[in-house]
Amino acid sequence: MLARSAVYGFGASFGRDAYKGAKQASGAITVLAVLFLTIWGYRGLARNIGNRTRSEVIARVLGSVFAICAGTYLSGSVAIVVFSVTLPWLVGVHIVSAIVGLLWGRAQKRNDETSAEIELSNVEFMEANGLHDSPFDADLIEDGDGNRLRVKETRDDAIVFMVVGRRGLRAVISLDSGRMVEYSGLVRL
């Protein structure tokens, strides 16, 4: 009983101390949370401006600008009220958040463009090899001879299809970093 009560006493005092610490740090947590909105806005701005691969670019850019303005205003207001910070400090924090957001957005923009290029290349590959969506089922594609193919296995180096209605036949599309490079046609196991 003594061991249990000692543990309970430790747990209760730890809980009180953690609550007091979180209560005192709530202003800093609020500033950081709202400042993240600014970083998120700059990320979206860098990711969407000049990005040919995204639809609704104007709405996304306006949303990013709104996030930047709202995040800057709210984080600055809370920082001034709670911490009595000066304007140069706020400008410095805003510059740092802008740099972080812009770098994050540029990295994602490169990934978006690379993914879009690979997707376009894969569509061209499928058209060149006579592969297209099946009108029968969303999970099927058809080859040039009308054979319906269903994905059986997806690996880093290939997509393996089973031929619907025909036992012992498979088809394989070889991949190179996500890009379709070769279609085997129907192959007997």
Side-chain angles (χ1 to χ4, degrees), residues 42-44 46-47 100-110:
Y42 277 110
R43 178 202 66 83
R47 188 176 182 189
V100 169
L102 291 171
L103 291 174
W104 185 17
R106 293 286 302 166
Q108 285 188 329
K109 183 177 180 176
R110 279 192 295 274

Side-chain angles (χ1 to χ4, degrees), residues 4-149:
R4 207 173 322 139
S5 64
V7 170
Y8 174 76
F10 169 75
S13 70
F14 177 76
R16 276 193 306 274
D17 293 343
Y19 174 74
K20 285 180 185 176
K23 189 174 174 184
Q24 291 171 350
S26 65
I29 292 169
T30 303
V31 169
L32 290 174
V34 178
L35 191 59
F36 184 75
L37 186 61
T38 305
I39 293 170
W40 188 262
Y42 277 110
R43 178 202 66 83
L45 199 62
R47 188 176 182 189
N48 291 311
I49 288 182
N51 196 343
R52 301 175 311 274
T53 63
R54 309 282 287 195
S55 62
E56 306 161 354
V57 173
I58 293 173
R60 291 177 189 275
V61 169
L62 290 177
S64 296
V65 170
F66 177 76
I68 292 167
C69 293
T72 301
Y73 174 75
L74 292 173
S75 63
S77 298
V78 172
I80 288 171
V81 170
V82 174
F83 300 111
S84 302
V85 297
T86 61
L87 185 62
W89 187 87
L90 286 176
V91 170
V93 168
H94 182 80
I95 290 171
V96 168
S97 66
I99 290 170
V100 169
L102 291 171
L103 291 174
W104 185 17
R106 293 286 302 166
Q108 285 188 329
K109 183 177 180 176
R110 279 192 295 274
N111 291 342
D112 289 347
E113 289 174 346
T114 301
S115 296
E117 288 172 9
I118 290 173
E119 185 177 339
L120 181 62
S121 170
N122 289 348
V123 167
E124 291 171 354
F125 173 86
M126 290 180 69
E127 288 174 355
N129 286 287
L131 301 169
H132 56 276
D133 290 333
S134 172
F136 299 109
D137 190 356
D139 294 341
L140 299 177
I141 63 171
E142 287 186 7
D143 65 5
D145 297 327
N147 296 306
R148 293 185 307 265
L149 308 173

